[in-house]
């Protein structure tokens, strides 16, 4: 599961920390669930596979500092803009951090486990062995920021509203629920019989809970700058539309003493400042206008941080080893466009992308090439031959996976790094010729119509533009014209969610427990629904079947096989030109803020950081 995260989750984690997590005193798998032999008994948490690692009555999470001082302000920088405060609908751009800091879920993630949830608004959760239902018992202390109690009616209202009017991912998930019932003011039951989805009860645990008395269903789908009322540690404070939003600590926050929250939410204010272009965004950090910055550009990391604040120690550069699948970024083909409907065309264009030249000349050889959709994890099929269980799952779809991918032999093409590799160019032109194109002089033309091969790459940032121009240069060698179109953030997002593009650059981040969000990413139904992340327009019965298999898996080994089978189908279809990833996560921070010494499997968590000393902005 990747979506509907109740915390503000970063993109990386510390490699191997899952094993470390089991060595600390508060984690004991043997005693984590004393009622596991009694299906239906209320539990303090629930895991997708197996049992929660933390025992009932745990004191705090390993990667949080319960003694962290409270106070001050944390300022984040963000590239882009926003035109709404509602992150749960398709319309508008909203600050994503409202989810988690202002609006809470029934349960919250444990970030040292692939997918385990512990009590937050709900004190306990219960289900049966078949996961045909789930019952949540709300904490009697749970309150919204206006003092009204969180009730079962609020939970059912939130489920119905998001199912009917929320973003497509919510609608896809919640429509599977066959019924909901308030058993009492603080107890709610969802019936899941027939869903064939063992993850669904965890998704409901992560459902944002809205205040029924404060939401008008008639206007819910419209953008708004009216502050939403939640039950979280912060409330929305001052809003400067498009430029800045400030979250202020709720002094009456009901959950401040929960074990799941100890060491979290340490700032009195969290502010998000928005910047329209990458240069001003970076310059603002160097001037101290925001506190921390995740860096993904090796050339900037190597050369642009040579400033007085780094040299004298006021800014530190840190690297966190990643413990999650590496995010997959790529140039995405919109297969809804006829020009990209032929798999041979897509494969050929992937051959033309010269990663080796680009990595050496632009990025100090710091990137590694991506290929798998679950890169760098046990879920990846890259370099692994398919096991018997994978072959059984894929048997009804004999053409869905190439022989090389099935054998674990396929790798993304590698050039001689000259920028003029003739061997890969010849392979690409051979594929294009078989797809009905021929090179006439310096122009690639469709054989029947004589129409030149030409398309547009839509970008919105300077970094995207630079990369697209480099790819355009590579394509030109094969007679292909790729026009790079720069759009502002609002226009870009509007065109992206309506699939009004030929090609975009996009990044998908995965967890160690992928689930229902995979249908949102590549499922057939998502291809025709606006606002999904199926940007390539994939419609594949094999993909749909592999997603169904991973959702129904009961044991971890079954689950891993299903995910690897999905990975093989996706890699074989050449839906994108895979780009690259960093082997570690880079973060620069002003030393006026500090973080715990321990890092979660999911990586650094800004909500566990604190202000170590004041600065002139506090």
């Amino acid at each position: 599961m990747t979506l509907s995260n109740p915390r503000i989750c970063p993109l990386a984690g510390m490699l191997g920390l899952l094993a470390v997590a089991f060595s600390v005193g508060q984690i004991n798998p043997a005693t984590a669930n004393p009622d596991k032999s009694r299906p239906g008994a209320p539990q303090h948490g629930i895991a997708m596979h197996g049992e929660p690692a933390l025992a009932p009555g745990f004191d705090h999470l390993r990667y949080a500092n319960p003694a962290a001082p409270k106070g001050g302000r944390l300022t984040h920088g963000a590239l882009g803009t926003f035109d709404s405060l509602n992150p749960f609908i398709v319309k508008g751009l909203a600050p994503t951090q409202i989810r988690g800091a202002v609006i809470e879920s029934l349960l919250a993630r444990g970030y040292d486990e692939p997918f385990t949830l512990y009590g937050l608004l709900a004190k306990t959760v219960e289900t049966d062995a078949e996961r045909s239902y789930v019952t949540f018992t709300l904490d009697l202390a749970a309150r919204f920021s206006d003092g009204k109690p969180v009730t079962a009616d609020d939970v059912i209202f939130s489920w119905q509203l998001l199912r009917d009017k929320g973003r497509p991912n919510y609608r896809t998930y919640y429509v599977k629920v066959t019924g909901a019932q308030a058993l009492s003011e603080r107890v709610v039951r969802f019936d899941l019989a027939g869903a064939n989805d063992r993850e669904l009860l965890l998704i409901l645990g992560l459902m944002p809970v809205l205040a029924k008395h404060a939401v008008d269903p008639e206007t819910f789908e419209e953008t708004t700058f009216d502050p939403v009322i939640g039950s979280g540690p912060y409330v929305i404070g001052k809003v400067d539309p498009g430029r800045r939003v400030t979250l202020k600590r709720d002094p009456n926050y009901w959950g401040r003493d929960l074990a799941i929250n100890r060491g979290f939410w340490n700032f009195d204010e969290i502010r998000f400042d928005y910047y329209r272009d990458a240069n001003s965004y970076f310059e603002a950090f160097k001037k101290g206008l925001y506190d921390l910055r995740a860096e993904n550009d090796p050339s900037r990391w190597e050369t642009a941080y040579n400033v007085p604040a780094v040299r004298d120690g006021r800014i530190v550069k840190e690297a966190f080893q990643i413990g999650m699948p590496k995010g997959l970024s790529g140039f995405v083909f919109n297969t809804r466009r006829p020009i990209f409907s032929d798999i041979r065309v897509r494969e050929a264009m992937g051959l033309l992308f010269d990663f080796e030249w680009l990595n050496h000349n632009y990025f100090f050889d710091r990137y590694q090439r991506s290929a798998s959709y679950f890169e760098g994890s046990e879920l990846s099929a890259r370099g692994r031959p398919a096991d018997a269980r994978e072959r059984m799952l894929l048997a009804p779809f004999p053409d869905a996976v190439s022989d090389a991918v099935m054998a674990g032999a396929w790798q993304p093409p590698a050039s001689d790094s000259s920028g003029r590799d003739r061997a890969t160019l010849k392979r690409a032109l051979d594929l294009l010729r078989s797809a009905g194109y021929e090179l006439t002089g310096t122009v690639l033309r469709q054989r029947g119509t004589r129409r030149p091969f030409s398309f547009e790459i839509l970008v919105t940032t300077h970094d995207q533009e630079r990369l697209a121009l480099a790819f355009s240069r590579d394509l030109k060698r094969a007679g292909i014209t790729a026009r790079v179109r720069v759009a502002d953030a609002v226009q870009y997002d509007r065109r992206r969610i309506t699939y009004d593009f030929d090609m975009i650059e996009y990044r998908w981040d995965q967890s160690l427990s992928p689930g229902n969000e995979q249908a949102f990413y590549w499922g057939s139904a998502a291809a025709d629904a606006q606002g999904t992340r199926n940007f390539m327009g994939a419609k594949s019965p094999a993909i749909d079947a592999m997603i169904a298999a991973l959702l129904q898996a009961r044991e971890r080994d079954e689950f891993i096989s299903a995910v690897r089978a999905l990975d093989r189908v996706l890699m074989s279809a050449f839906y994108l030109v895979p780009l690259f990833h960093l082997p570690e996560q880079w973060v620069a921070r002003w030393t006026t803020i500090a973080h715990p010494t321990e890092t979660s499997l999911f990586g650094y968590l800004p909500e566990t950081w604190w202000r170590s000393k004041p600065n002139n902005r506090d």
Side-chain angles (χ1 to χ4, degrees):
M1 175 64 187
T2 302
L3 297 178
S4 301
N5 195 329
R7 304 287 197 193
I8 305 169
C9 181
L11 303 179
M14 185 70 78
L15 186 62
L17 283 179
L18 185 59
V20 175
F22 283 90
S23 68
V24 299
Q26 65 181 10
I27 300 178
N28 184 354
T31 62
N33 180 9
D35 293 317
K36 63 184 177 182
S37 62
R38 294 166 44 216
Q43 302 175 39
H44 71 298
I46 191 163
M48 181 63 198
H49 301 105
E51 299 296 323
L54 295 173
F58 68 90
D59 181 74
H60 67 281
L61 300 171
R62 180 189 61 82
Y63 43 83
N65 175 12
K70 307 289 186 183
R73 179 196 302 138
L74 175 67
T75 302
H76 288 281
L79 188 61
T81 186
F82 67 97
D83 59 5
S84 177
L85 295 179
N86 185 350
F88 308 115
I89 59 173
V90 171
K91 286 185 180 180
L93 290 172
T96 58
Q97 297 81 4
I98 290 173
R99 178 75 174 92
V102 177
I103 305 293
E104 290 184 308
S105 302
L106 294 161
L107 307 175
R109 275 190 187 270
Y111 283 119
D112 269 341
E113 303 168 69
F115 193 12
T116 297
L117 306 180
Y118 296 96
L120 185 58
L121 285 171
K123 195 173 185 67
T124 63
V125 55
E126 66 178 75
T127 188
D128 60 358
E130 299 301 319
R131 296 190 174 180
S132 65
Y133 77 92
V134 61
T135 299
F136 299 101
T137 299
L138 299 174
D139 194 313
L140 291 175
R143 295 285 187 279
F144 291 108
S145 59
D146 61 2
K148 294 183 183 292
V150 181
T151 68
D153 283 345
D154 293 306
V155 177
I156 294 174
F157 169 80
S158 301
W159 163 67
Q160 292 173 328
L161 184 66
L162 294 170
R163 179 198 62 189
D164 299 338
K165 299 188 176 185
R167 297 183 69 88
N169 53 315
Y170 295 128
R171 302 184 191 200
T172 300
Y173 305 155
Y174 301 155
V175 75
K176 296 182 180 182
V177 177
T178 55
Q181 181 182 3
L183 302 181
S184 71
E185 185 182 21
R186 296 298 181 108
V187 180
V188 60
R189 171 183 167 126
F190 292 97
D191 292 312
L192 315 177
N196 294 319
D197 181 353
R198 296 184 60 79
E199 188 193 41
L200 185 54
L201 66 88
L202 282 84
I203 290 176
L204 290 170
L206 291 177
M207 180 178 68
V209 177
L210 308 172
K212 180 179 180 180
H213 64 274
V215 177
D216 182 357
E218 296 302 318
T219 59
F220 181 71
E221 293 180 274
E222 300 301 321
T223 60
T224 180
F225 285 115
D226 293 335
V228 294
I229 291 177
S231 61
Y234 293 90
V235 297
I236 296 176
K238 185 176 179 181
V239 177
D240 184 355
R243 298 181 59 191
R244 174 178 295 169
V245 60
T246 300
L247 308 182
K248 300 181 66 175
R249 183 192 299 283
D250 179 1
N252 300 312
Y253 174 48
W254 73 274
R256 71 171 69 88
D257 296 323
L258 294 178
I260 198 74
N261 283 330
R262 290 198 183 109
F264 283 74
W265 315 118
N266 299 313
F267 297 93
D268 288 339
E269 287 187 1
I270 303 177
R271 194 172 78 192
F272 302 92
D273 291 342
Y274 285 77
Y275 298 88
R276 292 302 183 98
D277 66 84
N279 286 335
S280 60
Y281 178 42
F282 181 55
E283 291 301 317
F285 174 73
K286 292 193 294 184
K287 293 177 181 178
L289 298 182
Y290 59 96
D291 293 307
L292 71 154
R293 175 183 171 88
E295 185 57 74
N296 297 309
D297 186 336
S299 60
R300 192 156 46 224
W301 188 252
E302 294 287 346
T303 64
Y305 286 83
N306 186 22
V307 296
V310 173
R311 293 194 293 269
D312 63 25
R314 288 175 293 148
I315 292 177
V316 294
K317 296 165 64 182
E318 298 177 302
F320 298 89
Q321 298 303 310
I322 191 168
M324 304 295 290
K326 312 299 188 294
L328 176 68
S329 62
F331 284 114
V332 185
F333 298 104
N334 185 354
T335 64
R336 302 171 187 86
R337 300 285 206 252
I339 196 172
F340 295 138
S341 61
D342 192 315
I343 191 173
R344 294 168 294 184
V345 170
R346 303 196 299 268
E347 183 179 2
M349 291 178 65
L351 287 167
L352 293 169
F353 179 71
D354 195 337
F355 165 73
E356 285 71 24
W357 184 91
L358 192 72
N359 195 33
H360 181 72
N361 288 279
Y362 281 24
F363 301 126
F364 295 82
D365 294 316
R366 296 296 295 267
Y367 277 127
Q368 294 178 4
R369 187 73 192 273
S370 300
S372 166
Y373 285 65
F374 304 92
E375 188 75 41
S377 75
E378 65 177 349
L379 304 176
S380 172
R382 182 179 184 179
R384 293 184 171 104
D387 62 26
R389 189 180 290 109
E390 290 177 69
R391 291 181 181 276
M392 180 185 67
L393 289 170
L394 292 166
F397 312 99
D399 299 325
V401 177
S402 70
D403 292 342
V405 172
M406 189 72 84
W410 181 82
Q411 298 290 343
S415 75
D416 61 9
S417 74
S418 67
R420 300 178 300 277
D421 190 306
R422 297 181 63 85
T424 55
L425 176 61
K426 182 180 183 304
R427 289 168 58 198
L429 288 172
D430 287 344
L431 279 168
L432 290 165
R433 191 174 298 110
S434 69
Y437 292 90
E438 60 183 27
L439 188 62
T440 305
T442 60
V443 179
L444 187 72
R445 297 180 183 275
Q446 192 174 47
R447 192 173 294 119
T449 65
R450 310 304 298 164
R451 183 177 300 159
F453 193 118
S454 176
F455 70 98
E456 179 182 272
I457 306 176
L458 183 67
V459 302
T460 189
T461 69
H462 173 71
D463 289 343
Q464 288 180 350
E465 181 184 20
R466 181 174 65 156
L467 191 59
L469 288 171
F471 187 34
S472 174
R473 179 208 61 212
D474 294 338
L475 295 171
K476 192 68 177 175
R477 296 181 61 231
I480 297 172
T481 299
R483 305 177 306 278
V484 179
R485 169 74 178 274
V486 182
D488 64 57
V490 173
Q491 182 189 28
Y492 178 84
D493 196 63
R494 186 180 300 115
R495 290 186 61 180
R496 185 178 66 176
I497 66 176
T498 59
Y499 314 122
D500 181 20
F501 59 85
D502 297 331
M503 174 179 282
I504 60 170
E505 180 191 340
Y506 193 73
R507 173 187 171 112
W508 290 265
D509 291 300
Q510 298 280 11
S511 76
L512 290 170
S513 186
N516 272 273
E517 79 286 347
Q518 301 305 301
F520 186 66
Y521 294 172
W522 357 92
S524 295
D528 296 323
Q530 291 188 6
T532 75
R533 296 186 191 175
N534 188 346
F535 297 117
M536 59 273 292
K539 287 185 176 182
S540 164
I543 290 176
D544 296 337
M546 297 312 108
I547 295 172
L550 69 88
L551 291 175
Q552 295 167 22
R554 291 188 175 222
E555 303 298 332
R556 184 72 182 175
D557 57 350
E558 297 175 52
F559 175 77
I560 291 172
S561 292
V563 178
R564 288 180 183 172
L566 171 64
D567 196 24
R568 294 184 200 278
V569 179
L570 290 168
M571 286 193 292
S572 298
F574 298 103
Y575 287 125
L576 52 80
V577 178
L579 294 178
F580 34 72
H581 61 270
L582 294 173
E584 56 192 6
Q585 186 182 41
W586 295 332
V587 178
R589 65 175 170 91
W590 285 82
T591 53
T592 51
I593 57 171
H595 58 74
T597 56
E598 302 286 348
T599 306
S600 81
L601 180 70
F602 278 59
Y604 81 100
L605 301 171
E607 57 268 39
T608 65
W609 292 25
W610 62 88
R611 184 154 297 286
S612 57
K613 52 188 174 181
N615 65 17
N616 57 13
R617 288 179 284 115
D618 289 325

